[in-house]
Amino acid sequence: MSPANFVTLAVILFVIGAVGVLVRRNALVIFMCVELMLNAVNLAFVAFARMHANLDGQVIAFFVMVVAAAEVVVGLAIIMAMFRARRSASVDDANLDGQVIAFFVMVVAAAEVVVGLAIIMAMFRARRSASVDDANLLKY
């Protein structure tokens, strides 16, 4: 199969996830659609990495999966707390005063992972090593 087929599949999966996020009102279904969108992006990263014959896309996909796993834990905890308080997982019934802070923490954590990954990839491209001992810029 050519990488174009994988990218086409990734686009279809991403669109299905985006429609699910925009149309559905159940928090669990929205959460699953976001995960579907993340997996579609992972598929695109891996397809482009295969097309260019390097491992950067697989490394990024791995880090996206790690961050997504952490977000699943926090997100499911929020949804369970919402369900216990209201006996409903509908987004319309949610009062998200306390959960906004948790969402902000998840967004900041994801941004930190992206910046850290970018630094590590830049180090690897420049020095062909991700070891801190080999990075002169981080010693000072």
Side-chain angles (χ1 to χ4, degrees):
M1 289 185 80
S2 71
N5 294 338
F6 291 113
V7 173
T8 304
L9 178 62
V11 168
I12 291 169
L13 290 174
F14 190 86
V15 168
I16 291 170
V19 168
V21 167
L22 295 174
V23 172
R24 301 303 297 235
R25 303 309 303 160
N26 188 324
L28 284 173
V29 175
I30 291 172
F31 202 60
M32 287 189 300
C33 290
V34 168
E35 293 299 319
L36 183 64
M37 291 166 58
L38 286 173
N39 285 327
V41 172
N42 284 342
L43 181 61
F45 278 139
V46 172
F48 285 123
R50 181 178 174 194
M51 188 173 16
H52 294 293
N54 62 17
L55 293 176
D56 291 345
Q58 281 122 353
V59 171
I60 293 172
F62 176 73
F63 278 106
V64 168
M65 286 187 285
V66 169
V67 170
E71 289 176 2
V72 164
V73 171
V74 175
L76 284 177
I78 292 171
I79 292 171
M80 287 182 64
M82 198 171 77
F83 183 78
R84 284 183 183 168
R86 305 234 169 12
R87 290 290 173 214
S88 172
S90 175
V91 180
D92 295 331
D93 299 337
N95 182 4
L96 299 176
D97 293 337
Q99 287 82 7
V100 171
I101 294 172
F103 179 74
F104 178 73
V105 168
M106 287 190 302
V107 170
V108 170
E112 288 175 353
V113 167
V114 169
V115 171
L117 180 61
I119 291 170
I120 291 170
M121 288 179 65
M123 281 175 39
F124 184 77
R125 284 184 178 166
R127 309 224 187 258
R128 287 291 172 213
S129 172
S131 174
V132 177
D133 296 331
D134 296 338
N136 293 332
L137 297 175
L138 295 178
K139 289 184 179 179
Y140 302 106

